[in-house]
């Protein structure tokens, strides 16, 4: 009976130990790296929507509060997108002939939803709740960035688990007073820097460092 | 040699197959997601006539309509305390101030951008209007103002009404109305 494996396989098998490790390592590194690129994480990438809505104009320019449109953000898991009735509250009187707003008018008149693309879309196995984060003093801006300066909505953070955990492990670095949650330009004062303020807020809001898997994955 | 390529090829298929997003995008509805099942394309379903959500039974006519015996109520459906006024101030700032402005004079930013100017809250007719009237306007709309019944909870609409009363009082106050212990601070020049 002839040898099943040729003699050269002695060298190959040894080399494969090293090469296999290298290939595996390279694959993992590539995946982890790719996950952090805007191509996958969509950071700084705006998506084409039915209407090019500008937060910069409505929030930064006009000073409309986040909650005028995202009405359920304080009481439920979802911030929720407004119905087109909310848009038409003003736009039945202002910019009534703007071509840009035609989809909004059509939606309102025909009772058809605008098909908006979710910009901050978490995987379906992660259960996020807006209301509790607001009650514990996480500012809108902390996760969503300077929305009042964004002509088109885009992610400013990866929404990776690593990013969630960076705050869940050290909430004191990110918390702000509850009354400043909706303030887009809040900064900790010089008299009371973030380190001191954060520690106080963790204490008074009874913020726990929730890093158990089941906190978000159910 | 062919065996090696086969193994490498198969493992590549395995790696690529693991890129499926089934767990990320599960076949379930999340609030406001689209639907290919329902004709209107929405997973959010309209409330069927006659259904009452838990805790939403609206059997208190005064609370829900702002009217008593067909007339706008002159009283609030619940006691107004400091917490209610504070809530009213916050909701007024979110929903009303864009047009009515922080003082209630009706020169808000949206008015400056072309919205029809609302009446000032500080005219005699509105100062003399009962609380139920303001609640009714928020609930059913008035003129170019849409109704806010789907955006502001019933209790919050009453809280805003109470805060409008505060604004009316504040904007029509005389020096004699200022409490004695606050008069001193008012007389000091602004810092």
């Amino acid at each position: 009976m002839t040898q099943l494996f040729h003699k050269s396989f002695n060298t190959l098998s040894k080399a494969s130990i090293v090469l296999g490790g290298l290939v595996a390592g390279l694959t993992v590194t590539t995946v982890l790296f790719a996950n952090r690129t805007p191509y996958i994480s969509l950071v700084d990438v705006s998506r084409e929507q039915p209407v090019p809505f500008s937060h910069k104009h409505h929030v930064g320019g006009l000073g409309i509060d986040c909650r005028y449109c995202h009405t359920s953000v304080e009481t439920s898991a979802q911030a929720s997108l407004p119905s087109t009735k909310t848009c038409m509250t003003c736009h039945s009187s202002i910019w009534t002939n703007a071509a840009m707003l035609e989809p909004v008018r059509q939606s309102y008149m025909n009772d058809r939803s605008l098909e908006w693309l979710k910009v901050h879309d978490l995987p379906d196995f992660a259960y996020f709740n807006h209301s509790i984060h607001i009650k514990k003093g996480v500012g809108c801006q902390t996760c969503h960035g300077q929305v009042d300066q964004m002509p088109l909505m885009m992610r400013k953070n990866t929404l990776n688990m690593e990013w969630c955990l960076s705050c869940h492990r050290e909430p004191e670095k990110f918390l702000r007073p509850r009354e400043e949650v909706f303030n887009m330009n809040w900064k900790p004062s010089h008299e009371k820097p973030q380190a001191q303020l954060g520690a106080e807020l963790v204490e008074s809001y009874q913020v726990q460092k929730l890093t158990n898997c089941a906190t978000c994955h159910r | 040699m062919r065996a090696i390529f086969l193994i490498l090829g198969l493992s590549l298929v395995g790696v690529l197959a693991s890129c499926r997003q089934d767990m990320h995008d599960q076949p379930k509805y999340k609030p406001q997601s689209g639907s290919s099942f329902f004709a209107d394309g929405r997973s959010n379903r309209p409330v069927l006539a006659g259904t009452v959500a838990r805790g939403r039974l609206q059997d208190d006519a005064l609370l829900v309509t702002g009217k008593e015996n067909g007339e706008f109520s002159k009283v609030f459906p619940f006691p107004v305390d400091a917490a209610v006024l504070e809530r009213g101030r916050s909701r007024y700032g979110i929903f009303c101030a864009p047009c009515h402005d922080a003082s209630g004079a009706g020169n808000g930013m949206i008015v400056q951008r072309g919205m029809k100017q609302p009446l000032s809250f500080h005219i005699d007719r509105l100062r003399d209007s009962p609380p139920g009237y303001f609640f009714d306007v928020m609930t059913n709309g008035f003129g170019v103002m849409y109704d806010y019944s789907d955006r502001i909870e019933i209790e919050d609409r009453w809280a805003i009404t109470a805060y409008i009363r505060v604004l009316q009082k504040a904007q029509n106050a005389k020096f004699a109305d200022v409490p004695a212990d606050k008069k001193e601070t008012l007389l000091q020049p602004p810092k």
Side-chain angles (χ1 to χ4, degrees):
Chain A
M1 191 177 152
T2 53
Q3 289 285 332
L4 189 57
F5 289 105
H6 186 263
K7 206 174 180 185
S8 66
F9 271 76
N10 285 343
T11 321
L12 262 176
S13 66
K14 281 173 197 156
S16 72
I17 296 172
V18 179
L19 279 176
L22 275 178
V23 168
L26 198 68
T27 311
V28 170
T29 315
T30 311
V31 168
L32 287 181
F33 178 76
N35 241 344
R36 286 161 176 75
T37 62
Y39 181 72
I40 301 283
S41 69
L42 298 179
V43 169
D44 291 335
V45 178
S46 63
R47 310 179 73 174
E48 191 162 338
Q49 305 282 10
V51 181
F53 178 83
S54 167
H55 278 88
K56 180 178 179 170
H57 169 63
H58 291 87
V59 183
L62 303 176
I64 298 174
D65 193 283
C66 311
R67 294 162 287 182
Y68 186 90
C69 300
H70 304 293
T71 49
S72 66
V73 73
E74 288 177 293
T75 49
S76 80
Q78 280 75 32
S80 74
L81 286 167
S83 65
T84 37
K85 181 181 170 187
T86 300
C87 311
M88 292 299 284
T89 304
C90 296
H91 288 296
S92 59
S93 298
I94 302 175
W95 295 107
T96 47
N97 292 317
M100 200 191 271
L101 292 172
E102 185 58 21
V104 179
R105 290 190 290 268
Q106 288 298 328
S107 159
Y108 186 64
M109 283 188 288
N110 303 326
D111 193 24
R112 298 288 302 178
S113 296
L114 287 178
E115 292 185 23
W116 216 259
L117 286 174
K118 215 167 175 347
V119 173
H120 293 85
D121 191 19
L122 284 178
D124 286 357
F125 48 76
Y127 291 78
F128 176 81
N129 190 313
H130 272 96
S131 66
I132 189 63
H133 287 83
I134 284 171
K135 287 195 182 77
K136 299 291 180 185
V138 182
C140 305
Q141 183 256 334
T142 305
C143 300
H144 294 289
Q146 291 282 153
V147 170
D148 62 328
Q149 291 168 19
M150 292 182 201
L152 293 174
M153 195 61 197
M154 53 182 71
R155 284 188 198 174
K156 282 293 162 186
N157 290 293
T158 60
L159 310 190
N160 285 344
M161 190 170 91
E162 169 192 54
W163 170 78
C164 297
L165 281 172
S166 68
C167 185
H168 272 238
R169 288 190 178 118
E170 299 178 306
E172 66 277 2
K173 285 190 176 169
F174 302 94
L175 297 184
R176 57 174 77 184
R178 275 179 195 141
E179 2 6 306
E180 303 294 345
V181 163
F182 297 93
N183 182 351
M184 278 293 140
N185 298 303
W186 178 84
K187 296 260 180 334
S189 66
H190 286 295
E191 298 82 61
K192 195 180 275 185
Q194 183 67 46
Q196 191 192 344
L197 175 75
E200 282 179 25
L201 292 176
V202 165
E203 185 75 26
S204 66
Y205 295 164
Q206 300 178 335
V207 176
Q208 303 171 55
K209 298 189 177 181
L210 296 175
T211 50
N212 190 302
C213 307
T215 304
C216 308
H217 302 296
R218 278 171 255 156
Chain B
M1 228 32 211
R2 281 171 67 188
I4 295 175
F5 283 122
L6 195 66
I7 291 165
L8 273 179
L10 279 177
S11 55
L12 191 66
V13 168
V15 167
L16 288 178
S18 66
C19 289
R20 285 169 59 183
Q21 296 283 303
D22 292 11
M23 293 289 279
H24 286 68
D25 302 310
Q26 296 164 18
K28 68 178 181 184
Y29 290 140
K30 299 209 280 192
Q32 295 192 309
S33 58
S35 164
S36 53
F37 181 78
F38 295 106
D40 61 4
R42 301 170 186 166
S43 64
N44 282 15
R45 303 313 305 154
V47 179
L48 295 179
T51 45
V52 177
R54 186 175 282 266
R56 296 286 177 101
L57 179 61
Q58 303 186 333
D59 57 349
D60 184 342
L62 169 59
L63 179 74
V64 175
T65 65
K67 289 180 183 170
E68 260 184 333
N69 307 321
E71 299 214 339
F72 294 125
S73 169
K74 293 184 175 59
V75 295
F76 285 83
F78 50 82
V80 175
D81 56 16
V84 170
L85 293 182
E86 196 49 58
R87 179 77 181 166
R89 170 156 70 177
S90 115
R91 298 301 110 171
Y92 180 91
I94 297 166
F95 294 105
C96 316
C99 288
H100 290 278
D101 83 45
S103 74
N107 292 315
M109 183 56 102
I110 309 302
V111 173
Q112 293 170 37
R113 299 298 174 97
M115 191 84 181
K116 184 170 180 275
Q117 183 167 30
L119 289 174
S120 166
F121 289 135
H122 313 301
I123 58 171
D124 286 340
R125 179 172 82 75
L126 290 180
R127 268 201 289 262
D128 296 337
S129 295
Y133 174 73
F134 295 95
F135 179 85
D136 181 74
V137 169
M138 283 178 248
T139 307
N140 299 311
F142 181 87
V144 297
M145 176 181 151
Y146 278 23
D147 75 85
Y148 280 74
S149 56
D150 56 341
R151 284 169 267 179
I152 313 178
E153 296 286 343
I154 290 175
E155 284 78 6
D156 286 345
R157 275 174 255 157
W158 283 108
I160 292 172
T161 306
Y163 185 67
I164 292 173
R165 279 279 179 264
V166 171
L167 289 177
Q168 288 176 328
K169 204 155 183 131
Q171 294 287 314
N172 194 35
K174 295 173 185 58
F175 189 63
D177 299 331
V178 180
D181 59 326
K182 295 280 192 292
K183 277 185 176 158
E184 193 60 36
T185 37
L186 260 191
L187 286 173
Q188 280 165 7
K191 283 173 193 167

